Amino acid sequence: MDIITKCPICRKEHPVHLTREQGLRYGDYRAGKGHIQDLLPALSADDRERLITGICPECFASLGEEDDE
Ligand SMILES: [Zn+2]
């Protein structure tokens, strides 16, 4: 299954591919049953960030730069 995330900054949509089991664990995360890094440890940090906030790696990097100011 693919979860379609939409970046709130650049408005681009990004699919995050999950196995069926990962999809069920993602459902648990959305239901507040745990931390996403514990439920989906196999995902990359970029994919987890997309699932949590929808922010894509490019925009996340630019946010980090702004925080340095
Ligand atoms: Zn973006």
Side-chain angles (χ1 to χ4, degrees), residues 24-66:
L24 292 174
R25 289 197 211 159
Y26 176 64
D28 284 346
Y29 163 72
R30 299 295 292 185
K33 293 181 185 173
H35 296 291
I36 197 162
Q37 64 266 35
D38 297 329
L39 292 164
L40 297 170
L43 287 187
S44 70
D46 284 347
D47 280 348
R48 282 199 298 263
E49 190 63 39
R50 285 196 194 121
L51 291 176
I52 296 167
T53 64
I55 297 174
C56 67
E58 291 82 3
C59 292
F60 192 72
S62 62
L63 285 178
E65 287 166 16
E66 287 174 13

Side-chain angles (χ1 to χ4, degrees), residues 6-12 14 54-60 62:
K6 188 172 181 182
C7 179
I9 299 171
C10 67
R11 309 270 174 202
K12 285 185 195 162
H14 300 270
I55 297 174
C56 67
E58 291 82 3
C59 292
F60 192 72
S62 62

